[in-house]
Amino acid sequence: MRIGQLAKRTGVSERSLRYYEEQGLLRPARTPAGYRVFAESDVDVVRHVQMLLAAGLNTTFIREVLPCMVDTGDGLAPGRPQLLPHLQTERDRITTAIDGLATARTLLDGVIAATPPPDNAEYDAWVAQRMG
């Protein structure tokens, strides 16, 4: 199938599919005219890539682990227990990022809470001066 057909079947843009190819996640055949020809199995590959991207993994990591993943019918699972420490490391990275965002949200909540009420004439003058 051509790239447009794969895009329709997976709901992934042609641009993303070309990026996946660039990253070594897809390896389509080429016609003599240079057109990409994807296999039926590439539909599942794209869906698996999308699932792993949604889980917060980057394409470099996905390229390394995807060949070792098993489709359980309900999702993907590592086909080898040796992948678990690597997946846990990625989970820890995501947890750290979430914690950082939670801290940022708390700080922003403090800034918002410290904002004077909008009917404060002094505040209105201050805002008007800075906003031009």
Side-chain angles (χ1 to χ4, degrees):
M1 82 186 82
R2 296 269 179 91
I3 194 167
Q5 294 167 305
L6 183 60
K8 279 185 182 175
R9 298 236 348 242
T10 60
V12 174
S13 71
E14 291 181 22
R15 181 178 181 197
S16 291
L17 295 173
R18 285 189 288 274
Y19 177 72
Y20 295 171
E21 180 185 5
E22 233 176 69
Q23 297 302 305
L25 299 169
L26 290 171
R27 292 182 181 87
R30 295 282 182 157
T31 68
Y35 292 105
R36 293 170 179 86
V37 179
F38 294 92
E40 186 64 31
S41 61
D42 287 330
V43 172
D44 287 334
V45 170
V46 171
R47 289 185 177 139
H48 294 160
V49 168
Q50 287 288 287
M51 186 182 306
L52 294 171
L53 286 170
L57 303 178
N58 64 49
T59 55
T60 302
F61 187 82
I62 293 170
R63 183 180 59 239
E64 293 174 16
V65 301
L66 190 59
C68 303
M69 300 299 282
V70 176
D71 190 337
T72 65
D74 292 326
L76 291 177
R80 308 169 80 191
Q82 296 89 337
L83 285 179
L84 290 176
H86 302 289
L87 293 169
Q88 185 63 46
T89 298
E90 287 301 303
R91 186 182 186 287
D92 293 345
R93 178 189 58 79
I94 291 167
T95 298
T96 299
I98 290 169
D99 292 345
L101 288 170
T103 299
R105 181 182 56 204
T106 299
L107 291 170
L108 186 55
D109 286 345
V111 170
I112 291 168
T115 304
D119 60 350
N120 182 324
E122 188 177 317
Y123 173 75
D124 290 343
W126 180 83
V127 169
Q129 181 182 17
R130 279 155 183 75
M131 297 295 180

